[in-house]
Amino acid sequence: MTTERKILRSGADWGRSMRRLVVTAPPRPWIPGQRRAPGRAPVPLPPRRRVLRCGLSVTGFGLCAVFYCLSYTPSLLPRPWSLQGVVAGLTAAIGYAFGTSIGALVRLRWWPSRRAERIAWQALFLLVPPLILLFLWLGTRWQRDLRLRLGMPPQQEYDLIRTVGISVLTFGVLLLVARCLRLAAHGLARLFGRLVPESAAYCAGFVVVTVLSYTAFDGLLIGNLYTTADRSAAVTDSGTGRGVERQMSPLRSGSPASLVSWESLGRQGRNFVAKAPSHEQLASFAHRPVMEPIRLYAGLSSADSVTERAGLIVREMERTGAFDREVIAVFTPTGTGWVDNDVPSSLEYMYAGDTALVSMQYSYLPSWISFLADRAKVVEASSALITAVQERWAATPAADRPKLLIFGESLGTYGTEKTFGTAERMVDGADGILLEGPTFANPIHRRLTEARAEGTPVWDPSYAALPVEFSSRAEELRDLAGPRRKVVYMQNSSDPVVWWNPNLLWKKPQWLSGTRGPDVTPAMHWYPVITFWQTTVDAVFANKVPTGHGHVYRSGAVDGWAALAPPPGWTVGDTIRLRAVLDAR
């Protein structure tokens, strides 16, 4: 090889080496938001694609619209326009979250082209507006029909505009919060991307933001809300209801002769002892000689412990001669210590005041907060009071014993059931037990419902093995024949406290299958997640409907007591007459 050819060859080799050096230059550092081609430096996304990724998700917007429309479908109870707006906005946000998550999972395997995304957006813009208008119109009709079914006045037509406004505002606020969290996760991913691979950086950013968000939500928001609710309830408990005055009768707790001070009763305790029917009212109804009723109560500050409060109640019963009355009734109240005054008043009218009624507070908080935060309190209080009264009642000679009745409403039904443990013990433990609005967590109620007679609906089951009766309408109890019942469950078919269950998230409930309850609209259908959320909202506002619907039982207790322990000579006509007296108050 000549010297000239060697020089040319060496030059070519040098050129190839330089080109190889340029090609294999170290890649630029990865930046979140870029796509990395295999074996190549990261390629920035086209400007249009970056805009699409920063904007709304196609799948998110689609499911958001579907969930928003379905939020206007009816549930157990009608919703006022303001509540419907919040429900619609929250439901739309849930749908958007699901849709965005699905879209992110799809993009892990396949990235749609810009043309496909453009077509999807165009289809959504054509379909969503008329779909929303259709459901707004249907939702207005459904709510009107549901309100008429429950005997409530219809809403105004212009309320729909306010509902839409609140729903858009609610969705916008939630979307803004979600975007801020996503930006925080991207920022952390950019920071971690300098140290770890792309996938690990995104995972670390997501985990950090999730943990911090949960900590802030649980520690700051939920914790502070619980503390604030407890303090607010405690302040409310220290007050006295309008028209309520200290009782001077020695037959009432808080009187000068009582072992319990008026101040320690709490707001609901003062209401309980002060709102008994007067002598004139009892005489006007009974048309015979009447007695002054005994009402006894112990508040949270009446004694240091649950056991001491229960013992204090028993000593109060002995002081007032309660065990010489014809009827003794133990009431397990709701979370705040509230007892629906129609229930004790029913017994006092029926027995012309020859009664002794007792109750005891176990919390300042409403039932739904107590249910979520600490159910053990109601169980402890119910068990202590019922056991203490039962033991003293059992010590009385059998021939002289008064009737022992027990009542529980809402969370109080849970405490009553947990006190006895089984249905057989409930039947044997008292002369009659009336339970209104049992919760889904009640163990005995659940077992009896599951073992109901074949062919009977879940909202009105039949259980022939024991003298236990379920009633979806108070009037049904007037037609009972055969042996006297010992336990009566009153559960309105539209009561969300009874029918709420976590299973509603993914499973169609039995109360929406087959024959429905008398006040459940045929237009209600089950949708995953949505029905769960709607029933949850219904449960929070279940007391804002007329008597006999939702979680409102009131004068219906007359039918319950008449089915369990009617006084001699009591008739259906007396039941109707007494309900009219209570409803007119």
Side-chain angles (χ1 to χ4, degrees), residues 174-445:
L174 293 175
L175 183 62
L176 178 62
V177 172
R179 286 304 176 89
C180 290
L181 294 177
R182 195 179 87 166
L183 286 175
H186 275 272
L188 290 174
R190 184 186 295 272
L191 179 63
F192 295 148
R194 300 175 181 178
L195 306 174
V196 297
E198 173 185 349
S199 58
Y202 265 113
C203 182
F206 175 78
V207 170
V208 170
V209 170
T210 301
V211 171
L212 291 178
S213 301
Y214 175 78
T215 302
F217 179 78
D218 184 61
L220 299 179
L221 183 61
I222 299 300
N224 288 335
L225 283 177
Y226 181 84
T227 302
T228 302
D230 186 62
R231 291 176 180 173
S232 176
V235 171
T236 302
D237 189 66
S238 64
T240 302
R242 181 178 299 178
V244 174
E245 299 179 354
R246 184 182 184 186
Q247 300 297 290
M248 295 294 107
S249 170
L251 301 181
R252 308 290 171 84
S253 291
S255 67
S258 173
L259 303 176
V260 182
S261 67
W262 176 255
E263 292 75 17
S264 71
L265 289 176
R267 183 186 186 91
Q268 301 302 342
R270 288 188 279 272
N271 290 341
F272 179 78
V273 300
K275 292 188 175 181
S278 66
H279 185 279
E280 293 74 16
Q281 290 172 321
L282 293 174
S284 175
F285 177 82
H287 301 299
R288 60 187 174 96
V290 299
M291 300 177 65
E292 182 181 358
I294 298 174
R295 287 202 186 190
L296 307 174
Y297 195 95
L300 282 176
S301 59
S302 297
D304 294 334
S305 68
V306 172
T307 303
E308 291 176 352
R309 289 195 291 273
L312 185 60
I313 288 290
V314 172
R315 292 199 301 274
E316 279 275 87
M317 295 176 73
E318 293 173 340
R319 179 187 66 82
T320 56
F323 294 97
D324 297 327
R325 294 298 177 103
E326 188 173 356
V327 170
I328 288 176
V330 181
F331 293 78
T332 302
T334 61
T336 59
W338 176 77
V339 176
D340 183 355
N341 194 50
D342 279 1
V343 183
S345 296
S346 300
L347 279 177
E348 290 164 337
Y349 275 107
M350 292 172 71
Y351 284 89
D354 194 8
T355 57
L357 314 181
V358 301
S359 187
M360 186 172 74
Q361 186 181 17
Y362 55 86
S363 174
Y364 294 124
L365 298 171
S367 287
W368 68 273
I369 299 180
S370 298
F371 181 85
L372 296 174
D374 191 2
R375 280 179 253 173
K377 287 183 178 180
V378 64
V379 176
E380 184 183 13
S382 176
S383 178
L385 183 57
I386 291 175
T387 301
V389 173
Q390 271 185 327
E391 289 177 351
R392 175 61 181 83
W393 171 78
T396 304
D400 300 328
R401 286 178 192 165
K403 292 180 181 178
L404 177 60
L405 305 178
I406 295 174
F407 173 82
E409 181 173 2
S410 190
L411 188 57
T413 67
Y414 177 80
T416 302
E417 285 195 5
K418 296 290 284 188
T419 297
F420 288 97
T422 66
E424 290 77 12
R425 290 178 181 173
M426 281 205 305
V427 169
D428 296 334
D431 293 300
I433 298 180
L434 178 61
L435 301 174
E436 291 182 346
T439 73
F440 83 95
N442 286 27
I444 298 177
H445 177 268

Side-chain angles (χ1 to χ4, degrees), residues 48 58 113-126:
R48 184 178 181 85
V58 176
S113 65
R114 284 183 293 176
R115 183 172 181 272
E117 284 186 285
R118 186 168 58 253
I119 293 174
W121 278 113
Q122 290 173 350
L124 287 175
F125 287 147
L126 287 175

Side-chain angles (χ1 to χ4, degrees), residues 492-506:
N492 295 332
S493 56
S494 60
D495 187 351
V497 174
V498 178
W499 309 119
W500 185 91
N501 195 303
N503 293 345
L504 287 172
L505 278 168
W506 62 86

